Amino acid sequence: MSCCGSPRLPAKDRDTTARSTSIGTLNPFPISHQPGPRPGIDPFENPSFRPPSISSPPPAHSLSRLNANQPSPPPSTLQRPNPSYPTSGNLNLLSTYQSSALVPASLPPTDEGKMSVAIDFGEHHAPILRAALELTLMAYGSSRIAAGKVQQILHWPGSMETFRKVPTCLLYDERGQVLAWGLEAKNTNPVSGSSKCEWFKLFLEPHALRDQSTVDPRLPPLPPGKKAIHLIVDFLYCMWEYAKEQITREIGAVADLDSADVWLTVPAAWDARGCDMMREAAITAGLVRSVGARDRDWRDRLHIITEPEASAVHCAHLTDLHNLKPSQIFMICDAGGGTVDLAVYQILGQLAALEIAEMCARSGANCGSLFLDLRFRELVRTLLVDHPAHLDSASLAYFMHSFSETEKLTYRGEIDDGSMFNFTCFNVEDPDDPQVGLFNGELSIPGNLLRREVFDPVVSQALELIEEQMKKVNQRIDALLLVGGFSGSGYLFKRVEEQFGGRVRVIARPSDADTATARGAAQYGLARRPLVSSVVAPRSYMMKVKLPAEQEDFMRRPAYVSQNNAGIPICENRLQYLVAKGAILRKGQKIKTKFCKYSHTPHDRVFVATMYTSDADKIMRYTDEGETVELCKWTVDIGSLPSFQENASMPAQNGFYTDFELGLELDGAEVRGVLLYEEREWGRVVFDMLS
């Protein structure tokens, strides 16, 4: 047993020198989960984050006054009731539930026929609708519906056509009330005082949450007095109320969505804070709710799953996963509208009883197809800076619409360098200017300029992301599977094949790649068992401890050896391995190590555990071996433990020892430290984001 500064010795030999410590700060962003009603610890100096209170969306408003000069879309069949979720108070992000980044270890086996609903919120691109769209998908399934096959909602308010995705768009009036959502909001021309909101999911990206100044300035601003989480709640509420009626119509029976399992996807690069905000927004919007006095675990019906993980499940159900075999490794590249997310998986079992393990850290970046649109808009503004008649919002939207529907996915790269790409102008009365490409009511842009200024910067960033992910794995990748709307870009697929074709046997875009995330999440729920149930530790995690000196210590690090007050030789700066690199762990599995702490007085209840990490394969003994990096200082308060309180109530003259365990949990998103005593959890902290 390691002893937080000294070895566990017999009572008569124990070092009675109390250790003085100061509270450390974890980096990045400590998040302390305090499971109630158990006593918790809060050893951090920074106050816990609390989200804003969220005003509820109002009943639907008539769109007639907004569409006076254009044909009205088909009427919506949705009658939005007064919202039933809270209109005031704070969302408690530091909830008592299991971390939202963690998929449950098991699902109830007795829920045969239970509905599974998946929502892939935002960050997709569909050129058939309009340029630079953020879209949301909803898929559902049950073992009693369509032989267990996953279905999608195709009919949405505001159109008689069918769409697999609905624009993630909201229209607010001047008072912040929801006027319209989805297609109705997207196709409505805003009037004075109203606000059309899109791409608000990107405001929950980790860097944006840490520092608002890092939000991409090209993103549309949020309405006054609104935050991204307000918009997410409003949109999810409107969509969910409509979905309950639409699924009932489609299956010909009342859809019991109140007791359904709901799977919400998030980007791979999100940390626990973003995941928790999305989780609490979904609960506030009413996606899950109690259905009776005995329904105490109703919040557990909401599951957070990463987009690559959901896509991996979808790909794994297709054609025997491209003939992959157990122990082989494949990478998912989820190239969506806002982000490109990467994750690597290893097949553990036979495909008939599919089980895959997540390897190394997930990664992601804001380099999805939206950023092609934004770069194209900037190029047009630069070319036409002396022609302001083409730079109003309507003209720019017209250019971007043409780009998105024609060139964005069909662009071929260098082969088009000598071609001219013509975009019809909205304002055809402006005089010609051949020097900038204005001629006969069109803007002509050379192919090599499009490649250099629009496509290559975004595509190159995606390729760099894949390259870095391969370096993290440091093993052969047997397949690279591209999913998401941006994966339909011929130029992106061509560049991926050129750069990685010699190293990866299979590079493919599976069927239904643009809806793989929602379908995979629904399939995960229908499986009623964990499919991605393990994680391969991407690096080693160790703690600095003091241990009884051995002969090797006298030879290799004599300066670290000293005697404690009991005359026992102790070696400082030793490493206690909690998890070794390459270990295959079940998600949520706690790797526990026994420790003890000596307290000179009842006030001596806090110690600081220095955590280290290493990417090396070899096992190291000391903190100074050159291949270790200090991860953080984990401040642990044991004052709430019953054994400490019992000893503190009857303090001995020479102090007392408290036994406990420190545990480590890993999943694909984060590493969590856990304080344990007698198999019970007394506090936890997130101290490493695997990105």
Side-chain angles (χ1 to χ4, degrees):
M1 177 189 297
S2 301
C3 186
C4 305
S6 62
R8 186 69 161 96
L9 302 173
K12 62 184 180 66
D13 295 329
R14 291 177 182 168
D15 182 358
T16 59
T17 303
R19 181 176 179 182
S20 174
T21 61
S22 60
I23 295 178
T25 302
L26 304 189
N27 187 20
F29 271 93
I31 300 178
S32 178
H33 296 260
Q34 308 303 336
R38 306 165 185 163
I41 60 174
D42 187 11
F44 308 108
E45 296 176 325
N46 296 331
S48 298
F49 172 80
R50 289 293 184 271
S53 59
I54 294 181
S55 301
S56 55
H61 295 258
S62 171
L63 300 181
S64 58
R65 66 182 178 89
L66 300 177
N67 293 301
N69 299 321
Q70 62 182 23
S72 298
S76 167
T77 57
L78 171 63
Q79 298 297 320
R80 301 181 196 114
N82 288 324
S84 58
Y85 60 79
T87 58
S88 63
N90 289 334
L91 293 177
N92 182 15
L93 295 192
L94 305 183
S95 66
T96 63
Y97 302 97
Q98 191 176 36
S99 170
S100 58
L102 188 65
V103 174
S106 62
L107 294 170
T110 58
D111 293 333
E112 180 67 25
K114 188 175 184 180
M115 187 82 74
S116 176
V117 181
I119 298 175
D120 181 18
F121 183 85
E123 297 200 73
H124 285 265
H125 167 80
I128 194 170
L129 290 172
R130 198 68 61 86
L133 268 187
E134 183 183 41
L135 299 164
T136 293
L137 295 80
M138 179 176 283
Y140 64 92
S142 167
S143 61
R144 297 174 181 172
I145 300 174
K149 294 181 180 179
V150 172
Q151 311 293 307
Q152 279 188 252
I153 294 181
L154 302 177
H155 298 275
W156 299 100
S159 175
M160 298 298 292
E161 300 180 56
T162 59
F163 297 102
R164 298 204 291 181
K165 310 171 186 180
V166 64
T168 312
C169 183
L170 287 166
L171 185 68
Y172 288 96
D173 66 12
E174 64 277 2
R175 297 171 298 166
Q177 304 281 315
V178 176
L179 290 171
W181 68 282
L183 286 165
E184 290 180 338
K186 186 66 183 178
N187 295 331
T188 299
N189 292 325
V191 297
S192 177
S194 65
S195 301
K196 184 179 290 188
C197 303
E198 301 175 89
W199 295 105
F200 39 85
K201 181 179 175 182
L202 291 177
F203 286 83
L204 297 191
E205 188 267 336
H207 294 294
L209 285 177
R210 289 177 171 83
D211 182 1
Q212 287 295 315
S213 66
T214 64
V215 174
D216 195 309
R218 296 171 296 181
L219 293 177
L222 298 175
K226 296 280 188 181
K227 295 188 177 181
I229 193 170
H230 299 118
L231 277 63
I232 291 172
V233 170
D234 288 349
F235 185 86
L236 288 176
Y237 172 80
C238 294
M239 184 182 194
W240 190 250
E241 291 300 311
Y242 172 79
K244 287 192 289 188
E245 296 185 7
Q246 182 62 23
I247 293 176
T248 295
R249 283 189 290 268
E250 291 182 2
I251 66 176
V254 176
D256 184 15
L257 264 63
D258 285 339
S259 63
D261 280 320
V262 179
W263 298 77
L264 197 60
T265 67
V266 297
W270 277 22
D271 58 19
R273 186 175 173 187
C275 292
D276 280 344
M277 291 183 74
M278 180 62 80
R279 176 185 178 86
E280 296 301 330
I283 291 174
T284 304
L287 271 60
V288 292
R289 61 183 65 186
S290 176
V291 294
R294 296 184 179 180
D295 188 16
R296 298 178 181 177
D297 299 325
W298 57 273
R299 293 177 181 85
D300 293 339
R301 292 198 293 272
L302 177 66
H303 311 278
I304 302 294
I305 184 172
T306 66
E307 291 165 0
E309 188 170 336
S311 299
V313 172
H314 173 72
C315 293
H317 281 81
L318 300 176
T319 60
D320 287 341
L321 197 60
H322 302 278
N323 298 316
L324 292 179
K325 299 175 176 60
S327 80
Q328 290 188 318
I329 298 170
F330 66 99
M331 179 186 293
I332 294 292
C333 175
D334 186 353
T339 63
V340 172
D341 296 311
L342 301 173
V344 181
Y345 300 93
Q346 183 176 29
I347 301 174
L348 297 182
Q350 299 296 327
L351 292 178
L354 179 69
E355 184 176 346
I356 53 181
E358 188 167 356
M359 299 187 63
C360 86
R362 305 168 191 160
S363 60
N366 289 347
C367 53
S369 62
L370 162 68
F371 295 92
L372 295 178
D373 295 274
L374 297 180
R375 294 192 68 89
F376 176 77
R377 185 177 66 186
E378 293 305 311
L379 175 60
V380 171
R381 282 176 170 168
T382 301
L383 291 174
L384 302 180
V385 65
D386 294 327
H387 295 267
H390 297 290
L391 298 181
D392 60 276
S393 59
S395 297
L396 287 174
Y398 201 75
F399 282 129
M400 293 178 67
H401 177 72
S402 177
F403 169 72
S404 184
E405 288 199 342
T406 56
E407 318 304 344
K408 190 171 178 179
L409 294 182
T410 60
Y411 178 78
R412 299 176 297 173
E414 292 87 344
I415 194 173
D416 287 330
D417 275 1
S419 303
M420 296 297 292
F421 292 83
N422 301 314
F423 303 93
T424 303
C425 299
F426 183 76
N427 182 358
V428 296
E429 298 179 358
D430 194 53
D432 292 348
D433 185 351
Q435 290 188 342
V436 298
L438 278 177
F439 189 73
N440 288 339
E442 291 185 330
L443 173 64
S444 297
I445 302 179
N448 62 342
L449 185 61
L450 272 180
R451 179 169 60 84
R452 187 179 73 240
E453 298 298 329
V454 177
F455 286 93
D456 276 354
V458 177
V459 171
S460 296
Q461 189 177 356
L463 297 177
E464 290 173 9
L465 205 61
I466 298 174
E467 193 73 64
E468 287 300 315
Q469 191 75 354
M470 287 191 167
K471 290 179 182 178
K472 291 179 182 178
V473 179
N474 197 28
Q475 297 185 52
R476 187 183 70 182
I477 303 294
D478 297 290
L480 173 55
L481 307 178
L482 282 75
V483 299
F486 190 20
S487 69
S489 166
Y491 184 51
L492 173 64
F493 194 87
K494 172 176 171 287
R495 290 285 303 275
V496 170
E497 281 191 316
E498 289 176 349
Q499 185 160 334
F500 303 105
R503 289 177 276 170
V504 181
R505 179 173 59 87
V506 176
I507 298 178
R509 184 177 184 267
S511 61
D512 291 319
D514 59 332
T515 60
T517 302
R519 287 180 169 272
Q523 286 164 334
Y524 205 128
L526 290 174
R528 313 306 304 160
R529 64 182 180 86
L531 301 177
V532 187
S533 58
S534 302
V535 59
V536 179
R539 57 184 69 95
S540 297
Y541 292 88
M542 306 89 78
M543 180 183 295
K544 183 172 74 172
V545 296
K546 296 179 182 179
L547 293 174
E550 300 175 355
Q551 187 62 35
E552 182 178 356
D553 300 319
F554 284 100
M555 296 176 59
R556 295 181 58 189
R557 298 292 191 277
Y560 289 173
V561 179
S562 61
Q563 289 189 345
N564 64 11
N565 290 353
I568 304 297
I570 299 297
C571 182
E572 300 188 33
N573 300 320
R574 284 284 304 275
L575 290 174
Q576 173 78 47
Y577 274 73
L578 303 180
V579 173
K581 179 182 177 181
I584 299 178
L585 309 173
R586 290 286 176 180
K587 288 193 174 184
Q589 177 184 353
K590 296 182 180 69
I591 308 300
K592 298 178 289 187
T593 304
K594 292 184 177 181
F595 290 89
C596 67
K597 171 176 167 49
Y598 171 80
S599 299
H600 186 64
T601 70
H603 301 290
D604 184 11
R605 52 186 283 176
V606 175
F607 70 92
V608 177
T610 304
M611 306 296 299
Y612 287 81
T613 185
S614 174
D615 291 321
D617 294 319
K618 70 176 184 178
I619 300 297
M620 287 164 288
R621 188 177 180 89
Y622 307 102
T623 60
D624 64 353
E625 294 196 35
E627 297 184 61
T628 61
V629 176
E630 183 175 324
L631 174 65
C632 65
K633 295 187 183 298
W634 178 13
T635 303
V636 182
D637 185 343
I638 64 172
S640 60
L641 299 182
S643 58
F644 179 90
Q645 293 179 353
E646 181 180 352
N647 290 327
S649 65
M650 298 180 295
Q653 183 177 358
N654 295 325
F656 56 91
Y657 278 80
T658 303
D659 295 322
F660 56 92
E661 290 179 311
L662 294 180
L664 212 65
E665 290 181 356
L666 280 80
D667 64 21
E670 63 192 26
V671 180
R672 294 174 290 274
V674 185
L675 173 64
L676 299 160
Y677 178 72
E678 293 185 346
E679 301 299 324
R680 189 176 173 190
E681 185 176 314
W682 293 83
R684 63 167 49 207
V685 61
V686 177
F687 58 78
D688 186 26
M689 303 303 169
L690 297 181
S691 59

